[in-house]
Amino acid sequence: MNLRCSDCARSWPLDPSRYCCDCGGTLEIVGVPSFAPALLDERDHTLWRYRAALPLLPDLTPVTLGEGWTPLVAAEWDGQPLRLKAEYLNPTGSFKDRGAAMLVTALKAAGVREVVEDSSGNAGAALAAYTARGGLQATIYVPAHASPVKQAQIAAYGAEVVPVPGPRAEAARAVRQAVREGAVYASHVYSPFYPQGMKTIAFELWEQLSGRAPESVVTPVGHGGLLLGLYHGFTELLSAGLIERLPRLFGVQAQACAPLARAWERRAADVEPVEEGETIAEGVRIAAPPWGRAVLAAVRESGGAVLALQDGETLSAQRELARRGFYVEPTSALAVAALNHLRGRLGDMPVVVLTGSGFKSPPPTANWQQRVATFVRRHDLLHAPTAHALDLVSEVGEAAKEVLLATDYGRQAPQSRPQLADELGDALYSLLALAEACGVDADGALSAALEKYERRLVKQGGAGSK
Ligand SMILES: [Zn+2]
């Protein structure tokens, strides 16, 4: 086994601390043993049951917290039978544990003692947990806007958390600087060991479906690590003659930051970076995914698609999932929300991957406060003329009224009119931003405004009187 550059084809020794070629190209591991059912360790109920198909020396002890072998739960969504792959039940609450367990195992075996990483949250938490388990020290560069809950989780494992202000890309720049100064980069984006851990999800699905591949898999996509892991795993099963065709792979992004979906719409072979907009789906807020070309090729080969959704649809799906007992973060709900857009293209019993736990996302009000602060800065509201502020208030009032009527005063999810929910979302942020700029309790102001509206409409005999 060794590493090979995907740009210049140069070979490198199998060193887990090397994350790219000297030419800057990305690396892959060549010579990994093929997947063979006879080599499965059936007594092991973690992803290490597949260790014979992983790039590890045979006598090596894995750094493990019991990751993988997550439940595959039968469910139904708007009349569509499906299966939910509960990746949020992994030890740190996300699918990233698969890659982190693999990478930290390899790093520890190579004698590495300290690593750095940049992450919007889940990958950082996974790396922090597995380095703690393996006795390594980690420093994680996190965008300052990342969920405070995730930052707290990373710190709890004993890793050093370095919040970096600005867009996600700033955290990436900060970690590159540390790497130039000699740190080992345990990157969930670039390390070729990470996708080796991710591919085990495909093996599991094959086993859980009694030796078959699903017809399609729907997953959120940011960097594309999970989607590429699925692709690699199913490709290995295909090469081994264990399945007849790849499942159709569908990747879902948030409209506010959707470089892959934009490239897909243009039928382009590669992505063009986009401006990093605000979205509640922070796990897929990646403006320039370095594996974009590979993700697009994998989706195309599988017969799938990439699409992007508004936050309103994601929020509705998250709420609806919780009502059915699945407590996941907004990024996970993206994949479920996409089902309404994929009718007729998924075949029997699609698999939807629930990637991260609901414990990871802060309550909506905390999320608002974060976004309000950004909104206030972006629009310079603290210095805006009063007339401008009054215009915004009036817009908010109109949008709020529309949404209240369409959703029967919040008693129904506005699934039939998702754009309305987005308008309300935008309007609410404006309102909250104004409240904060004026030094008013933002949540209180919002609740009071909505209550007042409802009372008035009920009095007029509107839709709220039932
Ligand atoms: Zn190269």
Side-chain angles (χ1 to χ4, degrees):
M1 282 181 282
N2 55 0
L3 301 174
R4 189 175 59 198
C5 174
S6 51
D7 282 3
C8 73
R10 178 171 175 186
S11 265
W12 296 93
L14 189 64
D15 172 8
S17 59
R18 172 168 282 283
Y19 72 96
C20 73
C21 180
D22 279 0
C23 80
T26 50
L27 298 169
E28 59 179 337
I29 304 176
V30 291
V32 181
S34 305
F35 180 86
L39 296 178
L40 266 175
D41 183 353
E42 288 183 355
R43 293 160 308 172
D44 189 336
H45 295 283
T46 72
L47 62 77
W48 299 102
R49 67 199 271 111
Y50 308 113
R51 62 175 295 157
L54 297 172
L56 292 174
L57 298 173
D59 55 346
L60 193 132
T61 308
V63 176
T64 179
L65 292 161
E67 56 288 337
W69 204 243
T70 54
L72 184 65
V73 186
E76 196 187 276
W77 191 262
D78 285 344
Q80 160 88 61
L82 50 84
R83 289 189 174 90
L84 298 169
K85 181 67 169 159
E87 284 293 287
Y88 67 103
L89 297 178
N90 272 301
T92 76
S94 92
F95 71 101
K96 291 279 188 359
D97 290 355
R98 293 179 186 273
M102 180 71 225
L103 176 56
V104 173
T105 293
L107 287 166
K108 186 180 182 185
V112 173
R113 305 291 307 152
E114 285 182 35
V115 295
V116 296
E117 154 79 311
D118 56 317
S119 160
S120 64
N122 284 337
L127 188 75
Y130 287 86
T131 49
R133 177 75 168 154
L136 285 74
Q137 182 58 44
T139 302
I140 319 278
Y141 295 80
V142 182
H145 63 70
S147 149
V149 184
K150 288 177 182 169
Q151 296 190 39
Q153 187 186 8
I154 297 170
Y157 291 123
E160 188 184 345
V161 181
V162 183
V164 183
R168 169 72 178 79
E170 289 301 318
R173 261 191 279 278
V175 85
R176 292 297 182 109
Q177 183 56 39
V179 170
R180 273 193 293 276
E181 290 162 11
V184 172
Y185 190 10
S187 173
H188 70 287
V189 181
Y190 296 99
S191 169
F193 282 85
Y194 222 85
Q196 291 289 323
M198 289 297 169
K199 74 181 184 184
T200 56
I201 191 173
F203 301 160
E204 277 179 29
L205 287 171
W206 176 80
E207 274 202 87
Q208 288 173 319
L209 295 171
S210 309
R212 287 182 305 121
E215 282 189 54
S216 57
V217 183
V218 187
T219 166
V221 58
H223 280 301
L226 176 57
L227 192 141
L228 287 174
L230 286 159
Y231 173 76
H232 290 311
F234 282 117
T235 301
E236 286 187 30
L237 293 168
L238 192 63
S239 307
L242 295 165
I243 59 174
E244 284 165 17
R245 53 175 293 277
L246 290 175
R248 287 190 285 281
L249 300 175
F250 293 91
V252 192
Q253 302 210 283
Q255 283 287 3
C257 188
L260 289 160
R262 295 290 94 81
W264 184 261
E265 285 158 14
R266 290 197 311 272
R267 297 171 188 274
D270 207 348
V271 294
E272 279 170 24
V274 297
E275 197 185 325
E276 188 179 319
E278 294 282 318
T279 171
I280 52 164
E282 64 174 7
V284 292
R285 193 172 146 182
I286 307 297
W291 296 97
R293 175 179 282 274
V295 172
L296 293 168
V299 168
R300 194 163 283 124
E301 184 186 333
S302 77
V306 187
L307 62 162
L309 304 184
Q310 300 282 2
D311 278 1
E313 290 178 84
T314 306
L315 275 175
S316 295
Q318 185 194 21
R319 191 172 47 209
E320 186 55 33
L321 277 165
R323 295 278 161 86
R324 300 172 188 204
F326 300 95
Y327 190 54
V328 297
E329 66 174 323
T331 307
S332 304
L334 256 184
V336 175
L339 295 172
N340 293 334
H341 299 267
L342 294 172
R343 290 198 172 274
R345 302 172 67 185
L346 297 169
D348 266 358
M349 283 277 198
V351 167
V352 181
V353 186
L354 298 179
T355 49
S357 167
F359 296 129
K360 299 262 197 174
S361 52
T365 47
N367 214 347
W368 280 351
Q369 281 158 2
Q370 231 170 51
R371 299 181 62 173
V372 162
T374 311
F375 189 96
V376 168
R377 274 199 307 279
R378 195 195 303 147
H379 296 280
D380 198 21
L381 279 178
L382 289 169
H383 305 102
T386 313
H388 176 59
L390 289 175
D391 280 351
L392 273 176
V393 169
S394 149
E395 275 177 37
V396 168
E398 283 306 308
K401 188 168 96 185
E402 277 276 287
V403 172
L404 285 172
L405 290 171
T407 63
D408 192 14
Y409 291 79
R411 282 189 281 270
Q412 287 170 16
Q415 278 172 351
S416 54
R417 302 177 70 182
Q419 77 283 4
L420 217 51
D422 289 314
E423 280 165 27
L424 179 66
D426 292 343
L428 287 177
Y429 296 136
S430 313
L431 178 67
L432 291 166
L434 281 174
E436 184 169 281
C438 303
V440 178
D441 163 29
D443 287 332
L446 175 68
S447 303
L450 292 179
E451 273 170 33
K452 193 170 159 193
Y453 239 124
E454 181 160 18
R455 273 203 304 278
R456 200 167 88 204
L457 289 167
V458 170
K459 207 160 137 190
Q460 289 168 355
S465 57
K466 55 175 145 171

